[in-house]
Amino acid sequence: MAVGSLIIMGISTAIQTVSAYNQAKTQAANYRAQAAAAEQQVAVASANQRLAKEQASAERKQGYEDMQTKRLEAARIIGQQRAQMGGSGVAIDQGSFLDVLADTASSGEISAINAYNQGIDRAYAKEIEAWNYENAANAYRAQASNYRKAASKTSSGAIWSALGTATGGIASIGSTWGKSTG
């Protein structure tokens, strides 16, 4: 009966050894898959970062163009006011007519500056978005690196894990053998 028990312990040890080895290999494969997924996230975050930077540049340009448009609108309105006032035969470069023209010019410039500032604000928001994507990409890079390291350690540790299981099983068999013969 002792020999049968030892054979069963030997088979059990062999199965546990193979299981420990396979488990470590599976874990290493899981780490490699997680590293690949994290690297995919790096690519996505980097692409989003580039897009956000391009959008920031476009917003800055749009703000400048909006400013120029507002200035042209103000100049057009001032031209219309001059034409209307000049058609009445009154001197347009003095008194209340001059005040109207100055107010229109001032309002036009304020609108132009506001349009430009809005473009700058939108560009800044896009730059912050790009910065956030860059930080996300760096975090994913670190994650991928950690997973690759874990996969490497687990993969190389698979043999040691299996040997540890086998050694424990053999020691148990030896102990049982010693008790049954002694």
Side-chain angles (χ1 to χ4, degrees):
M1 173 101 69
V3 173
S5 176
L6 292 176
I7 290 173
I8 291 174
M9 287 179 75
I11 292 170
S12 175
T13 298
I15 290 171
Q16 288 175 356
T17 300
V18 170
S19 176
Y21 179 78
N22 287 337
Q23 193 174 26
K25 283 297 197 182
T26 299
Q27 185 62 43
N30 285 339
Y31 284 139
R32 283 191 290 278
Q34 289 172 327
E39 287 167 353
Q40 265 307 73
Q41 292 297 328
V42 169
V44 169
S46 294
N48 286 339
Q49 177 191 10
R50 283 189 298 278
L51 178 61
K53 283 182 177 181
E54 289 170 8
Q55 290 171 337
S57 179
E59 290 292 354
R60 221 177 328 323
K61 181 179 177 188
Q62 185 62 50
Y64 180 79
E65 289 172 0
D66 290 348
M67 177 180 68
Q68 296 297 23
T69 300
K70 293 290 183 183
R71 285 180 175 159
L72 288 174
E73 287 174 9
R76 182 185 50 78
I77 292 170
I78 290 170
Q80 289 173 341
Q81 288 173 336
R82 283 180 176 269
Q84 288 173 349
M85 290 176 203
S88 68
V90 179
I92 58 173
D93 291 337
Q94 54 184 307
S96 61
F97 291 116
L98 183 60
D99 291 341
V100 169
L101 294 176
D103 286 346
T104 302
S106 175
S107 293
E109 187 60 20
I110 289 170
S111 292
I113 290 170
N114 285 338
Y116 180 71
N117 286 338
Q118 289 169 359
I120 293 299
D121 289 345
R122 290 188 307 266
Y124 182 69
K126 288 298 179 179
E127 288 168 349
I128 289 173
E129 187 178 323
W131 181 75
N132 287 336
Y133 283 126
E134 180 182 16
N135 287 337
N138 289 337
Y140 288 128
R141 271 188 204 93
Q143 212 174 41
S145 175
N146 290 338
Y147 284 133
R148 279 192 303 275
K149 288 175 187 174
S152 177
K153 285 180 182 180
T154 304
S155 198
S156 63
I159 293 173
W160 292 111
S161 177
L163 285 174
T165 301
T167 302
I170 291 169
S172 181
I173 291 169
S175 174
T176 302
W177 174 261
K179 289 178 185 174
S180 68
T181 59

